[in-house]
Amino acid sequence: FTATCGGEIFRGDRLPEDLRGDFLFAEPVGRLIRRTKIEVRDGVTYLRNPYEKSEFIRSTDPNFRPVNMTTAPDGTLYIVDMYRGIIQEANWVKSDSYLRKVVQQYKMEDNFGRGRIWRLVHDDFKPGKQPRMQNAPASRLVNYLDHPNGWWRDTAQKLLVQRGDKRVVPALERMARKHENHLARIHAIWTLEGLDALQPALLLEKMSDPHPQVRIAA
């Protein structure tokens, strides 16, 4: 790898479950996207490529230059492609270099300013609905904190904190204590923290939560 970028943990809900929680990153020079499985053994994190001698996405298109990825609101994955002929700095394509001849042969220097966004989909899943959160009541935003798509959870938490409406504090405390989804409990804790409404007694209680990630958050 020479230009890794755009790292993303896929947290959507409209691609196969086997992909959820995997770490993806782009390599625009190599024209590929690496997928890695994350394993923690004895407290050490290991990354493993599930495709032996291959990659999650690779392209023979010389202009394919993936530079960023993000979990999409519809539960799929967005891939930002700079779609540019030359990615290297000038030092690598000097007039007497091998690459300069290749660039000129295929007129790669002519392709710039044509970026695009790809949406990665799967035949077994239909993309989710378009969000309408900006004007949603705070009570509905609280319910989104257990949404299977991480984008919805993050956005709901952000809007609740930005609004500063502390009328939702009791509902958040109930969620932090009793919700069956540990991700919802974590979001509830952090939303309370953002609202400056997180009580020490609740934190102490969550330090004994059944799920280790909730204990870590506390």
Side-chain angles (χ1 to χ4, degrees), residues 16 70 73 112 123 148 151 154-155 160-161 175 194 199 214:
T70 187
F112 58 90
D123 289 342
W151 185 94
D154 291 349
T155 304
L160 285 166
V161 172
M175 177 175 282
Q199 299 301 317
V214 180

Side-chain angles (χ1 to χ4, degrees), residues 74-194:
D74 63 13
T76 63
L77 180 74
Y78 288 167
I79 301 169
V80 179
D81 177 8
M82 191 157 62
Y83 204 75
R84 185 181 177 93
I86 302 175
I87 195 73
Q88 291 90 345
E89 58 185 271
N91 188 55
W92 297 101
V93 287
K94 292 180 179 179
S95 58
D96 59 346
S97 68
Y98 165 79
L99 283 180
R100 173 62 70 95
K101 298 181 181 65
V102 174
V103 165
Q104 293 174 335
Q105 177 183 356
Y106 294 101
K107 298 182 179 181
M108 296 175 70
E109 73 276 17
D110 294 340
N111 187 25
F112 58 90
R114 295 191 176 94
R116 59 196 65 193
I117 296 176
W118 302 94
R119 181 170 67 175
L120 182 67
V121 299
H122 192 279
D123 289 342
D124 293 345
F125 297 85
K126 184 178 180 180
K129 65 179 182 180
Q130 184 176 356
R132 289 284 189 270
M133 290 194 191
Q134 191 64 37
N135 298 316
S139 58
R140 187 181 303 168
L141 294 178
V142 171
N143 292 334
Y144 289 150
L145 294 179
D146 74 339
H147 197 283
N149 183 354
W151 185 94
W152 285 64
R153 299 195 304 271
D154 291 349
T155 304
Q157 176 180 320
K158 177 179 68 176
L159 291 174
L160 285 166
V161 172
Q162 287 177 345
R163 292 182 187 182
D165 186 350
K166 294 191 176 184
R167 289 177 296 180
V168 298
V169 167
L172 290 169
E173 290 178 338
R174 286 193 298 272
M175 177 175 282
R177 285 192 165 98
K178 299 180 179 180
H179 202 285
E180 61 183 13
N181 185 345
H182 75 279
L183 294 173
R185 301 199 298 275
I186 291 173
H187 279 283
I189 291 171
W190 280 110
T191 305
L192 286 166
E193 193 275 340

